[in-house]
Amino acid sequence: MENQASANQHVHSTFNETAAVYDQQRRKLIPCFDDFYGVAASLADSQHEAPKILDLGAGTGLFASLLVQRYPNASLTLIDLADNMLDVARARFSGNPNVQYVCADYTNFVTPDSYDIIISGLSIHHLLDADKVQLYKNSWTNLRESGVLINADQVLGHTPFIDERYKSDWRGRVEASGLSGAEIAAAYERTKLDRMTDLSSQLGWLTQAGFQDVDCVYKYYNFVVMFGRKMAE
């Protein structure tokens, strides 16, 4: 049986290889790109003008960059397995002294520090189910009171028929996107790294972890934005 360490190794090597072209391809690989990221960023409310933000599986820093537009003085911690992806993020945030980069597995990341906002974009679906459950628990621990978790990700259809509808829609749109045959083949190959879980299970795990106001705020086929708040116990 596959373990998370083995899965992480495949994720690390694959996304290191694709780092240079990842951002330019992303809009074509995410049919709902503007709404998906726009809704996710709009949920990042904080009482602080300079919130502390943790980005799990930060990659090139795209999602985090949207929050910096909203909170220019925010302090960010970007954590990702793929150092080449973080190199792109370093270039994106060059000149910003408020960004910390951590090249590591975020699955069991627990810190004595605490954050106002935790985000993740298209990353948690690479984790095995048990690790998703643990990650949500850790995220609740890592948040300050009134902090929010925003997971913009992909989910498994709740029936085989629905899941195939999700996949066929995505394949049709990708093949009409203008990407080259080689780029499309590489994107299909990366889907072998997916360990997607249905939406209902994940909303339940967020609730069990202690989050309140748990919801799927946006959904386009298998692209979803999940949300939860940490309130006083």
Side-chain angles (χ1 to χ4, degrees):
M1 180 179 294
E2 180 187 41
N3 59 33
Q4 193 60 55
S6 175
N8 286 346
Q9 186 174 12
H10 291 302
V11 170
H12 172 269
S13 59
T14 299
F15 284 94
N16 262 341
E17 291 170 5
T18 195
V21 296
Y22 188 75
D23 272 4
Q24 69 190 54
Q25 292 181 2
R26 196 170 335 189
R27 185 176 288 274
K28 294 181 178 181
L29 292 172
I30 305 172
C32 54
F33 181 95
D34 289 324
D35 286 342
F36 181 66
Y37 281 106
V39 169
S42 74
L43 292 168
D45 294 328
S46 176
Q47 302 170 355
H48 307 286
E49 292 185 4
K52 296 189 66 175
I53 300 170
L54 172 64
D55 189 345
L56 302 170
T60 64
L62 174 62
F63 192 176
S65 72
L66 300 178
L67 271 62
V68 171
Q69 293 177 24
R70 185 172 178 184
Y71 301 108
N73 298 316
S75 296
L76 290 94
T77 299
L78 308 186
I79 181 168
D80 199 278
L81 271 175
D83 42 2
N84 288 358
M85 297 285 271
L86 287 177
D87 284 343
V88 178
R90 289 185 180 93
R92 168 175 262 130
F93 296 113
S94 64
N96 187 335
N98 299 323
V99 185
Q100 177 185 7
Y101 307 91
V102 180
C103 187
D105 174 12
Y106 64 75
T107 309
N108 295 304
F109 182 74
V110 178
T111 172
D113 210 345
S114 56
Y115 297 90
D116 301 294
I117 302 168
I118 297 178
I119 62 173
S120 185
L122 295 173
S123 182
I124 293 174
H125 70 275
H126 293 128
L127 301 183
L128 302 176
D129 282 359
D131 293 289
K132 291 185 181 83
V133 171
Q134 187 60 50
L135 177 70
Y136 291 146
K137 292 177 180 177
N138 293 343
S139 295
W140 190 89
T141 299
N142 289 333
L143 277 172
R144 294 174 176 171
E145 187 177 314
S146 300
V148 299
L149 170 68
I150 304 157
N151 180 22
D153 209 359
Q154 292 175 277
V155 296
L156 188 73
H158 67 284
T159 70
F161 176 84
I162 292 297
D163 194 57
E164 180 51 37
R165 288 294 294 117
Y166 289 173
K167 289 180 170 63
S168 62
D169 176 82
W170 180 74
R171 287 193 297 263
R173 293 179 183 276
V174 167
E175 290 175 14
S177 67
L179 290 170
S180 69
E183 289 171 323
I184 292 171
Y188 288 168
E189 184 67 21
R190 287 195 297 274
T191 64
K192 295 178 181 178
L193 300 172
D194 294 346
R195 305 291 180 266
M196 289 192 278
T197 308
D198 66 278
L199 175 62
S200 178
S201 292
Q202 294 192 72
L203 296 179
W205 295 339
L206 286 166
T207 301
Q208 291 167 17
F211 286 98
Q212 297 184 22
D213 301 309
V214 171
D215 196 12
C216 173
V217 181
Y218 174 82
K219 187 174 188 296
Y220 175 92
Y221 289 87
N222 69 320
F223 291 89
V224 304
V225 178
M226 292 175 260
F227 173 86
R229 292 197 303 158
K230 179 177 181 175
M231 304 306 293
E233 295 184 81

